[in-house]
Amino acid sequence: MRIAVAGATGLTGEVLLSLLPQSAFADADLVLLASERSRGKPIRVAERRFAVQKLTEDSFAGVDMAFFALGDELSRKFVPLALAAGAHVVDKSNAFRMDPAVPLVVVGVNEERALGAELVANPNCTTIGLAHILSALKPFGLEQVVVSSYQALSGAGRPALEAFWKRLRTVRARTTRSPLDVYDPVAAEVLNLNPAIGAAEGLHFGEELKLKRESAKILELTDTAIYATAVRVPTLVGHALSVHTRLRHHASTEDVHLALEDNPNIFLLPDDEIPESSLAIAHRDRVVVGRVRAYFDEGIVELFAVSDNLHLGAALNALRIAECMLRA
């Protein structure tokens, strides 16, 4: 099999390549694609070395499966070319997610939609973690979902991480201020919380709309009210979710715990443990859930969760989607 990875030098592309040797595509011939700036860059995948090629309109000749880890504009341009060349495509951009004709898939939730498909959209990294949680609670009837996400810098890609470290080094190199000056404007800019991620659309920003719209499509929540707030936080990896749900059917604490424990994509912590963002790295294949609180009289369940936005939230789900696509 011949596999192309468009965006091979980005964070998601790198994680995807690190997972390939343990996947069904371990022995595939790889075509690693990126911009002109990265052409010729050597990349090691397990014991093999590949040179990055420039992404062009002819890059997908003879390709069986193409993974796209690019921005929306480039995906809109090159995904149709890959499909026309006969490749199956998994695309992680926002370009095709809400297209009714394109399956939007979280493996473990609705992977049947990927069977035999030529193009499948990989959801937003925050949506993937939320979808696993809501899938576990859906049998109790989801009347309302209120979610706040606390999203790591790596969710914005390598340039955001590089800019963060550059600004942080600038702060550390400053000698005119005490390192404990809490009103240092440069430090305040670096170590900042930003509740406005993505382009504004009415009262919402892009990341919030992705959580709302993608979750509704994946889980077919046609009669569930979903409200979302998305915040960028100065952590490197690990998206966190504060989830408040109102259920239609009665569920005890034991019922909720069993539903979460029975989901193989969720790691439920004991009641006395806290789901900190560092646990996202320790349990990369699963969403770490804790602080579960159930209020029976009101039908409310609240919880806090963290997941690795690059591993589970992008690369691993993409590989699992590709395996499903070729299964039929």
Side-chain angles (χ1 to χ4, degrees), residues 187-207:
E189 181 184 354
V190 176
L191 303 173
N192 186 35
L193 299 181
N194 177 18
I197 316 175
E201 186 176 326
L203 298 176
H204 297 92
F205 289 89
E207 288 294 309

Side-chain angles (χ1 to χ4, degrees), residues 155-318:
R158 188 184 302 280
L161 279 179
E162 291 175 344
F164 172 77
W165 283 117
K166 182 179 179 179
R167 294 197 301 267
L168 193 60
R169 285 193 295 268
T170 300
V171 172
R172 296 185 64 184
R174 287 159 63 93
T175 58
T176 58
R177 289 179 179 268
S178 163
L180 298 181
D181 184 353
V182 296
Y183 293 109
D184 182 339
V186 179
E189 181 184 354
V190 176
L191 303 173
N192 186 35
L193 299 181
N194 177 18
I197 316 175
E201 186 176 326
L203 298 176
H204 297 92
F205 289 89
E207 288 294 309
E208 295 161 348
L209 292 173
K210 291 173 187 177
L211 272 171
K212 290 163 59 71
R213 293 169 177 171
E214 293 177 20
S215 298
K217 179 177 178 179
I218 293 163
L219 289 144
E220 299 180 329
L221 301 176
T222 55
D223 58 350
T224 301
I226 303 176
Y227 306 94
T229 300
V231 183
R232 183 75 69 198
V233 297
T235 56
L236 302 182
V237 69
H239 287 356
L241 296 168
S242 174
V243 182
H244 171 106
T245 61
R246 185 182 297 276
L247 307 179
R248 290 190 171 89
H249 311 304
H250 173 80
S252 67
T253 302
E254 291 76 15
D255 293 333
V256 173
H257 275 82
L258 284 173
L260 294 169
E261 286 175 346
D262 287 345
N263 190 309
N265 298 292
I266 292 175
F267 182 82
L268 181 63
L269 293 174
D271 290 339
D272 60 347
E273 293 188 24
I274 303 298
E276 298 176 339
S277 61
S278 59
L279 290 174
I281 300 172
H283 301 279
R284 288 179 169 174
D285 290 359
R286 293 190 282 178
V287 184
V288 180
V289 174
R291 296 209 63 212
V292 179
R293 289 144 286 159
Y295 305 95
F296 309 122
D297 294 341
E298 302 170 76
I300 288 173
V301 172
E302 296 179 330
L303 56 83
F304 197 82
V306 294
S307 60
D308 186 328
N309 51 292
L310 297 176
H311 188 101
L312 175 66
L316 182 60
N317 194 62

Side-chain angles (χ1 to χ4, degrees), residues 43-80:
I43 292 181
R44 180 181 293 274
V45 181
E47 300 302 318
R48 298 183 293 167
R49 291 175 66 89
F50 301 88
V52 174
Q53 302 176 29
K54 180 184 177 182
L55 175 63
T56 70
E57 296 180 356
D58 300 321
S59 293
F60 302 98
V63 168
D64 300 294
M65 174 68 67
F67 294 96
F68 277 75
L70 302 172
D72 297 355
E73 184 177 347
L74 288 174
S75 281
R76 289 191 185 98
K77 176 180 179 180
F78 286 101
V79 164

Side-chain angles (χ1 to χ4, degrees), residues 3-10 12-13 16-17 31-35 53 55-56 59-60 65-71 74-75 78-79 82 89-92:
I3 290 178
V5 179
T9 58
T12 298
L16 190 146
L17 291 175
V31 181
L32 307 188
L33 304 169
S35 65
Q53 302 176 29
L55 175 63
T56 70
S59 293
F60 302 98
M65 174 68 67
F67 294 96
F68 277 75
L70 302 172
L74 288 174
S75 281
F78 286 101
V79 164
V89 174
V90 180
D91 178 50
K92 77 162 288 290

